[in-house]
Amino acid sequence: MAALGIAIGGSNWFSALALGVTLLKCLLIPTYHSTDFEVHRNWLAITHSLPISQWYYEATSEWTLDYPPFFAWFEYALSHVAKYFDQEMLNVRNLNYSSSRTLLFQRFSVIFTDTLFVYAVHECCKCIDGKKAGKELTEKPKFILSVLLLWNFGLLIVDHIHFQYNGFLSGLMLLSIARFFQKRHMEGAFLFAVLLHFKHIYLYVAPAYGVYLLRSYCFTANKPDGSIRWNSFSFVRLISLGLIVFLVSALSLGPFLALNQLPQVFSRLFPFKRGLCHAYWAPNFWALYSALDKVLSVIGLELKLLDPNKIPKASMTSGLVQQFQHTVLPSVTPLATFICTLIAMLPSVFCLWFKPQGPRGFLRCLILCALSSFMFGWHVHEKAILLAVLPMSLLSVGKAVDASIFLILTTTGHYSLFPLLFTAPELPIKIVLMLLFTTYSISSLKTLFRKEKPLFNWMETFYLLGLGPLEVFCEFVFPFTSWNLKYPFIPLLLTSVYCAVGITYAWLKLYVSVLTDPPVGKTKKQ
């Protein structure tokens, strides 16, 4: 502890934080892993064993390759290291293969690629205003932000227990954001273009990138009142941005265009035959909508107002990922979710154009786009909440109102991930890790903004404290009730609905803050 204290007290505190969380990740290697572990093992096998012409056609496993080409090449690169660990993991027909060496390789591949995330966090810390810095190191915004990002509870359990590569991908996004704060717009645009071809879920925040680059990079000056100076438009900058997008896209999709396989690639990337909600409901608007439909259907059956034989067989709580029909309320189509998402995003995009606030305004728009797509998107995964939580960390150390929103969003969003880890050995791990992260987040931000009004009002405090009784009921009470056999979906339903309320509240509160903030009136661009 003394050595750690010396490291933190000196100039190497960031390295100490990064090393500490890396050691924790190593301790999590033996824990439970989800089917995503087999998904990525299968992708290693596909890209290593088959020619590129078969990557997006191979269907021996149900876990077909459905990420963009850059991620496929990423798996291809990893596979050439994997063969030195266990050649058998690279056999396409070795379904559900999981040797001890395979486990070590895949776990360490996530830990190693997190190096990019660590670097991105370091760059983001350079962009933080130090005006609120306290005398103690632990009270400085940069230190708090480093802990909130490097030790993020959601990333730890999703990547290093459940198993995914979100840290690596989030590193690309955070690095692109940092480049905008550093006025290195071309680099930021390039990084985001690359990110889109690693994972297409980031299309959700593309409107924020596109509008910001057009407004704050292609237009080179504002009027004194903050409005746009139309004669300052630079065609050279627009063409440069277009060239970046074109070249990155050509590098990614070009081989499949040459093979006449683009339709097949896109059919894998956008599988609309999947249902509205994931097997576990993401805590969004459609979870509230579907929960209401479920309640109405149960009441209808009890009162014999509905015919059991006419109720759709595909249950939203059965763990299936497929198309289904709502029982009482109108069923929702992909087009309807797209329209709702677009409408939800538009106000934030308009604010980014008409009320420019520099990189900070871009960041707020990005978060609102991420939350809007999470709230209204089609087949949203619960893990997608990290797309908003991580960038919101940057705002949390700047203003008290943003810190309040961050704490509500993060605490609720992180708790909504609990059902991902449903095995008994991981129960104390997830509870302890979340309690530690949440306690630190609240205490550190309260200390940072101690001279301002409290971060929570009584209603918000009551809501957050309600997560405790909810966890006790779902984990320790409900399994012993008679409802466990008849209504096994109730814990998931309660968790999803309760968290959906908190995330919706945070989304609305952030929107109010964005819409009421005055524009930054400057003649030169930030």
Side-chain angles (χ1 to χ4, degrees):
M1 291 298 293
L4 181 61
I6 293 173
I8 293 178
S11 59
N12 294 324
W13 59 267
F14 185 86
S15 299
L17 288 175
L19 178 61
V21 76
T22 301
L23 293 176
L24 175 59
K25 293 171 184 176
C26 292
L27 292 175
L28 296 175
I29 287 176
T31 56
Y32 152 86
H33 55 78
S34 72
T35 53
D36 281 331
F37 183 88
E38 169 62 13
V39 170
H40 289 281
R41 186 215 61 80
N42 186 53
W43 293 357
L44 286 172
I46 289 174
T47 55
H48 185 84
S49 306
L50 301 176
I52 185 175
S53 60
Q54 296 181 35
W55 286 3
Y56 286 95
Y57 281 95
E58 164 59 34
T60 300
S61 168
E62 63 181 309
W63 312 118
T64 53
L65 180 58
D66 58 5
Y67 273 26
F70 277 179
F71 201 93
W73 288 110
F74 171 73
E75 294 279 8
Y76 175 79
L78 289 178
S79 73
H80 284 276
V81 181
K83 65 184 180 183
Y84 295 107
F85 283 76
D86 188 346
Q87 185 71 33
E88 288 302 309
M89 80 171 84
L90 302 177
N91 187 334
V92 174
R93 300 193 178 279
N94 273 355
L95 302 183
N96 299 311
Y97 183 80
S98 181
S99 66
S100 58
R101 291 187 177 185
T102 301
L103 174 67
L104 284 175
F105 169 75
Q106 292 201 234
R107 289 295 197 192
F108 276 119
S109 70
V110 178
I111 295 172
F112 176 77
T113 54
D114 273 358
T115 305
L116 177 62
F117 181 75
V118 173
Y119 173 69
V121 173
H122 187 264
E123 290 298 297
C124 286
C125 288
K126 294 179 181 179
C127 307
I128 298 302
D129 184 6
K131 293 180 180 178
K132 293 185 177 65
K135 295 181 180 179
E136 298 293 331
L137 173 64
T138 54
E139 296 180 7
K140 296 182 182 295
K142 291 183 179 181
F143 182 88
I144 295 172
L145 177 61
S146 297
V147 177
L148 295 181
L149 287 173
L150 292 176
W151 290 76
N152 181 271
F153 167 77
L155 269 184
L156 281 175
I157 69 166
V158 171
D159 279 12
H160 302 280
I161 299 181
H162 183 80
F163 192 84
Q164 279 192 345
Y165 290 90
N166 292 289
F168 170 73
L169 298 171
S170 298
L172 282 172
M173 182 179 70
L174 291 179
L175 192 56
S176 73
I177 293 171
R179 293 300 181 243
F180 284 170
F181 275 86
Q182 297 163 359
K183 300 181 181 180
R184 295 157 67 175
H185 297 88
M186 293 289 284
E187 288 182 47
F190 170 75
L191 288 167
F192 182 67
V194 170
L195 178 60
L196 283 179
H197 289 274
F198 266 98
K199 192 170 183 178
H200 50 302
I201 192 176
Y202 292 94
L203 279 170
Y204 289 148
V205 298
Y209 276 88
V211 172
Y212 177 71
L213 286 169
L214 183 62
R215 180 69 173 82
S216 298
Y217 182 67
C218 293
F219 285 96
T220 59
N222 287 332
K223 294 179 180 178
D225 61 356
S227 61
I228 198 166
R229 192 183 296 276
W230 293 98
N231 61 0
S232 67
F233 184 76
S234 171
F235 282 102
V236 173
R237 291 188 173 188
L238 179 64
I239 294 172
S240 299
L241 289 174
L243 192 60
I244 285 176
V245 174
F246 173 77
L247 292 177
V248 171
S249 299
L251 183 61
S252 171
L253 301 174
F256 300 96
L257 178 62
L259 292 168
N260 198 28
Q261 292 185 359
L262 278 187
Q264 175 64 18
V265 173
F266 289 135
S267 70
R268 286 283 184 88
L269 299 184
F270 303 100
F272 288 112
K273 291 183 179 180
R274 295 179 179 179
L276 172 66
C277 296
H278 194 233
Y280 157 53
W281 301 354
N284 58 13
F285 175 80
W286 302 123
L288 298 175
Y289 185 88
S290 300
L292 178 60
D293 180 77
K294 193 73 177 179
V295 170
L296 292 176
S297 65
V298 170
I299 293 174
L301 288 173
E302 292 291 337
L303 299 178
K304 297 183 178 180
L305 298 175
L306 296 175
D307 183 355
N309 297 320
K310 294 183 179 180
I311 292 180
K313 293 182 179 180
S315 169
M316 294 190 63
T317 52
S318 64
L320 300 175
V321 181
Q322 58 183 343
Q323 287 184 313
F324 60 88
Q325 299 292 318
H326 285 92
T327 304
V328 179
L329 299 177
S331 291
V332 182
T333 64
L335 178 60
T337 62
F338 174 79
I339 294 173
C340 290
T341 302
L342 184 62
I343 293 173
M345 286 182 180
L346 282 177
S348 64
V349 174
F350 284 151
C351 284
L352 186 59
W353 182 272
F354 292 106
K355 295 170 58 178
Q357 295 179 326
R360 183 173 173 274
F362 155 74
L363 184 55
R364 287 158 75 90
C365 180
L366 180 150
I367 296 166
L368 283 172
C369 286
L371 281 176
S372 297
S373 60
F374 182 85
M375 290 292 298
F376 299 103
W378 178 265
H379 195 74
V380 174
H381 288 239
E382 63 287 336
K383 301 178 285 290
I385 192 62
L386 296 177
L387 189 57
V389 166
L390 294 174
M392 190 71 208
S393 305
L394 276 69
L395 291 180
S396 69
V397 295
K399 293 175 63 176
V401 63
D402 291 331
S404 173
I405 296 169
F406 167 79
L407 291 172
I408 296 170
L409 176 66
T410 302
T411 305
T412 308
H414 282 170
Y415 180 76
S416 73
L417 299 173
F418 265 35
L420 290 176
L421 307 183
F422 53 83
T423 53
E426 280 64 48
L427 178 61
I429 295 176
K430 66 183 181 182
I431 291 177
V432 170
L433 286 179
M434 179 165 174
L435 282 175
L436 289 174
F437 181 83
T438 304
T439 301
Y440 175 80
S441 301
I442 295 175
S443 61
S444 62
L445 291 175
K446 277 189 173 182
T447 301
L448 185 62
F449 298 105
R450 57 183 174 272
K451 295 182 180 180
E452 303 186 34
K453 65 179 183 179
L455 296 181
F456 304 127
N457 58 37
W458 69 268
M459 181 184 68
E460 295 165 347
T461 302
F462 181 80
Y463 171 81
L464 292 176
L465 290 175
L467 292 172
L470 176 62
E471 174 66 6
V472 171
F473 175 78
C474 291
E475 292 285 358
F476 304 106
V477 177
F478 182 80
F480 300 100
T481 65
S482 59
W483 287 2
N484 190 32
L485 295 176
K486 191 175 182 180
Y487 303 113
F489 58 84
I490 284 181
L492 286 179
L493 185 148
L494 290 177
T495 300
S496 184
V497 170
Y498 194 89
C499 293
V501 172
I503 292 174
T504 302
Y505 176 81
W507 174 65
L508 291 173
K509 189 172 182 179
L510 180 59
Y511 240 130
V512 170
S513 175
V514 168
L515 294 174
T516 56
D517 269 3
V520 177
K522 291 185 178 182
T523 56
K524 288 189 177 182
K525 310 301 289 184
Q526 295 192 28

